[in-house]
Amino acid sequence: MAISSEPSRPYHHGSLRDALLRRAEEVLSESGVDGLSLRAIARDVGVSHGAPRRHFPDRQALLDALAEDGFVRLGDEIRAAAAAPASSFVERLGALAIVYVSFATQHAALLDLMFAGKHRPGASESLYAAAEGAFSPVFQLIVEGQAQGEVVPGDVDRVALAAWAGIHGLASMVNAGLVDRATLPSLVADAAERMVLGLRPRG
Amino acid sequence: MAISSEPSRPYHHGSLRDALLRRAEEVLSESGVDGLSLRAIARDVGVSHGAPRRHFPDRQALLDALAEDGFVRLGDEIRAAAAAPASSFVERLGALAIVYVSFATQHAALLDLMFAGKHRPGASESLYAAAEGAFSPVFQLIVEGQAQGEVVPGDVDRVALAAWAGIHGLASMVNAGLVDRATLPSLVADAAERMVLGLRPRG
DNA sequence: CAACTCTGTTGTCATTGCCTACATTCGATC
DNA sequence: GATCGAATGTAGGCAATGACAACAGAGTTG
C-alpha cells in the first residue's frame, strides 16, 4: 500500500508534502475520512510520525489541503469542459453539470471534505479561493447566457446558486446511496434540462 | 452541561439509551461529529465509560441511532406539514420544502449523519425504514399530484428524486456556508417554485 | 431461593493527535 | 567554502479515545 520509492531515503524527503497528500487521498477514497490517520499516512510514506507536522499543523490542516486540492482538480475539469467546443449554451451548461456530477460521485468522500470545509471558521483563505476558482467557469457561462438573453437577468451569484442546487443535490443524493447508479446518467440529463429550463427568462 | 437528574442514581439507569442519545445530540449540534466521544457522553450522563457499550456496540452504532432518530423527527415535521390545511397542490408541496430546508439547516451536523449513513454497507435495516418513512409524505403528495394531472406522470421515485434534488441541494449548500442565511427564505421560495415548475406536465 | 440474563463497572490495551526536545540537512551570507 | 540560522525530520512522551474482557449488582423467572 505504501508508495514505494527510493530505496535509501535521504534525511530530507524532498517532497514530503506532496507525498503525504497523495497517500492521504488514496486512503480517503478507500476508507473515508474516519480511516485517515496522520500516523498511518506517515508510516505509509516512510517517515516518522512527527514529520507531517512540519507541513500540516494538525490533522484538520491536512484535510483542508485535501479539500483545496479537490477544488483545484474539480476546477480543472470544469474549465476543460467549458473550453470544449459546444454548439449551444444549453449544451455547454449541460456539459459542466455532467462533469460536476461525475467528479462528485467518483470522489464522494473528498466532496464531503470540500463542502464541510467551507463553513469552518478557521478555514484558510486559499481554500475559499480554490472553491471560487473552481466554480468561476460556471458563473462566467451564466453571465454569457444573460448577455445572450438565454438566462433570466439578475444577481449572478443568486441565479447560479439556484440553478446549481439541483445538480449538487443530485450528486449529494447519489453519494448518499439514494440513487441507483445505473439510472444516474438519465437523471443528470433530466436535472440539466430542468436547470436550463429554470434559467430561462420568463415571459 | 451534563443532564443533571436524580441525585442518587440506582445501579440501573433505567433509560440509559435515551439519555445517551439525548446528550449525544446536544454534543452533535454544539461540536459536530468529530466532537462526539462515547466516553465524554458517558461522563456527562453519569455512567461509566463502558456502559454505552450495552446499548451501542460501537461508536458508529450510536451515530446510526442518531441518524435514525433524525429521520423520525424529520418525518414527523414533514407529516405535520403535509397534514396542515392547504389550498393548492403547489402550496402543499412548497410547505414540505420549507419544512425540509428548515430542518436541514437547523440540524446541519445531524443531516450529514443522516445522509452519510445511508450508503454505509452495514447500516441497520431500521435506518433505511426510518429514512423511507420520513419521505413517504412527499412521495404520497406527488402521487396525488399525478392523479390530479398537476405532475408529470412516470415512476414516482424518479420524479420525486428529481424534484427534491433542488431542495436538498439548496439545504446542502446552505450548510456548506455558500449561502447567506438572510437570503435563504427567498431562495427556498424560488427553489420550490422551480420544483413545481419542473414537475408540471409538459406538452 | 436459585439460576439466568440485563445492565453497569473497572481495568487494560493499542492507537491516535499533539507537543517538546533533539538531530540532520540545506542555504544564505560573509 | 566555512558558519550560522532556518527548514525539515526523528524520538519520546502524554492524555484521550474506542474497543475489549472480567467482574458485580439487579431484576426475572423457574
Side-chain angles (χ1 to χ4, degrees):
Chain A
M1 288 304 152
I3 300 179
S4 61
S5 39
E6 308 79 8
S8 87
R9 197 181 309 287
Y11 191 88
H12 282 90
H13 181 286
S15 54
L16 218 205
R17 204 191 122 99
D18 283 353
L20 290 171
L21 280 177
R22 267 202 306 275
R23 178 56 189 153
E25 196 156 311
E26 286 179 20
V27 174
L28 180 65
S29 54
E30 287 168 9
S31 321
V33 203
D34 294 338
L36 209 163
S37 139
L38 283 182
R39 290 173 102 110
I41 289 178
R43 274 195 298 271
D44 291 348
V45 172
V47 294
S48 70
H49 67 264
R53 191 164 220 283
R54 298 294 170 199
H55 303 274
F56 308 101
D58 58 16
R59 195 183 111 111
Q60 189 56 55
L62 196 247
L63 297 185
D64 285 352
L66 279 177
E68 181 174 333
D69 197 60
F71 276 119
V72 171
R73 286 189 296 149
L74 171 61
D76 288 347
E77 296 196 13
I78 289 184
R79 222 179 326 280
S87 51
S88 65
F89 171 76
V90 176
E91 199 175 304
R92 215 176 262 275
L93 195 53
L96 298 199
I98 290 175
V99 164
Y100 182 75
V101 173
S102 177
F103 182 96
T105 53
Q106 277 171 13
H107 307 88
L110 180 58
L111 196 83
D112 281 353
L113 231 48
M114 289 160 63
F115 280 89
K118 289 239 8 165
H119 67 112
R120 227 189 352 277
S124 78
E125 212 53 53
S126 56
L127 210 179
Y128 283 81
E132 282 179 21
F135 286 108
S136 74
V138 178
F139 288 100
Q140 201 174 331
L141 187 56
I142 287 184
V143 170
E144 287 176 25
Q146 286 180 322
Q148 296 168 7
E150 303 233 35
V151 172
V152 60
D155 178 44
V156 193
D157 279 15
R158 188 188 164 86
V159 172
L161 185 82
W164 208 253
I167 307 297
H168 175 71
L170 182 59
S172 170
M173 292 171 98
V174 172
N175 284 347
L178 281 76
V179 180
D180 179 15
R181 235 120 169 149
T183 71
L184 181 55
S186 77
L187 277 172
V188 177
D190 271 19
E193 187 190 339
R194 223 187 334 277
M195 170 176 66
V196 175
L197 223 74
L199 285 175
R200 283 259 164 75
R202 311 191 192 146
Chain B
M1 284 304 151
I3 298 179
S4 61
S5 38
E6 308 80 7
S8 86
R9 197 181 308 287
Y11 191 88
H12 282 91
H13 181 285
S15 55
L16 218 205
R17 203 191 125 99
D18 283 352
L20 290 172
L21 280 178
R22 267 203 306 275
R23 178 56 189 154
E25 196 154 311
E26 285 179 21
V27 175
L28 180 65
S29 55
E30 288 168 9
S31 320
V33 202
D34 294 338
L36 209 163
S37 138
L38 282 181
R39 289 174 101 109
I41 289 178
R43 274 194 299 271
D44 292 348
V45 171
V47 294
S48 70
H49 68 261
R53 191 161 220 283
R54 298 292 169 201
H55 302 274
F56 308 101
D58 58 15
R59 195 182 110 109
Q60 190 55 56
L62 197 244
L63 298 185
D64 285 352
L66 279 178
E68 182 175 332
D69 197 59
F71 276 119
V72 170
R73 286 189 297 148
L74 172 62
D76 288 346
E77 296 197 14
I78 290 185
R79 222 179 325 280
S87 52
S88 64
F89 170 76
V90 177
E91 199 175 303
R92 216 175 261 276
L93 195 53
L96 298 200
I98 290 175
V99 162
Y100 181 75
V101 173
S102 177
F103 182 95
T105 54
Q106 279 170 12
H107 306 89
L110 180 57
L111 196 82
D112 281 354
L113 231 48
M114 289 161 61
F115 280 88
K118 291 236 11 160
H119 67 110
R120 228 189 350 276
S124 78
E125 213 52 53
S126 55
L127 210 179
Y128 282 80
E132 283 180 20
F135 285 109
S136 74
V138 177
F139 288 100
Q140 202 174 333
L141 187 57
I142 287 184
V143 170
E144 287 175 26
Q146 286 180 323
Q148 295 168 10
E150 302 234 34
V151 173
V152 60
D155 178 44
V156 193
D157 280 14
R158 188 188 164 87
V159 172
L161 185 83
W164 207 251
I167 306 296
H168 175 71
L170 182 59
S172 170
M173 291 171 99
V174 172
N175 285 347
L178 280 76
V179 180
D180 179 15
R181 243 131 158 139
T183 70
L184 180 55
S186 77
L187 277 172
V188 176
D190 271 20
E193 187 191 339
R194 224 187 335 277
M195 170 176 65
V196 174
L197 222 75
L199 286 176
R200 283 259 164 74
R202 309 189 195 148

